[in-house]
Amino acid sequence: MMMKADVLSGFESLQVCTGYQYKGERIDHLPYSIDESHIKPLYDNVKGWKKDLTGLTESGDLPPALNEYIAFIEKEVEVPIKVVSVGPDRTQTIFR
C-alpha cells in the first residue's frame, strides 16, 4: 500500500474515521443502504507533524509522529504500508 504523507504535514492532529455508529450500533464498514439520519462517523485522533517532508529520502528521516500514524493505519487496515510519497515528483518516494 502507498501513502501520500506530504499533504498531511502541518496539522496538529489528524482525524481518522475508524467506524460508524449506525442505528445505535458500532459497525466497521459503510452500510450498503445508508439512511443519513442513522449514521455517524466515528473518529480517532492521531498526533500530526509539522516537518517539511519534501526533501526526505530515507525512511529513517520520517518524523516520529508520521511513523506512529503509519503504524496506526497499518493496524486498522491490516495491510503494510511499503511506500510513502513525500512530494509530487516520482523521485519523492520513500520505500519502507
Side-chain angles (χ1 to χ4, degrees):
M1 180 176 189
M2 180 176 175
M3 185 177 85
K4 188 149 176 57
D6 63 311
V7 297
L8 299 174
S9 292
F11 293 99
E12 290 291 325
S13 66
L14 303 169
Q15 284 191 319
V16 181
C17 181
T18 56
Y20 301 92
Q21 188 75 27
Y22 184 64
K23 294 184 178 179
E25 291 185 38
R26 179 188 168 90
I27 59 173
D28 296 326
H29 63 281
L30 195 57
Y32 175 74
S33 176
I34 301 174
D35 178 351
E36 291 183 32
S37 64
H38 291 114
I39 192 163
K40 175 184 168 192
L42 302 173
Y43 297 100
D44 281 357
N45 285 314
V46 180
K47 184 180 177 191
W49 58 92
K50 295 197 180 280
K51 184 174 183 174
D52 177 11
L53 306 177
T54 57
L56 302 183
T57 58
E58 302 289 329
S59 62
D61 296 333
L62 297 174
L66 174 53
N67 283 318
E68 291 169 16
Y69 175 70
I70 292 170
F72 176 84
I73 297 297
E74 288 176 324
K75 179 179 168 251
E76 289 296 316
V77 300
E78 299 177 351
V79 175
I81 294 174
K82 298 291 186 183
V83 181
V84 178
S85 173
V86 294
D89 192 86
R90 81 171 41 177
T91 62
Q92 293 174 299
T93 303
I94 296 176
F95 295 91
R96 299 176 70 232

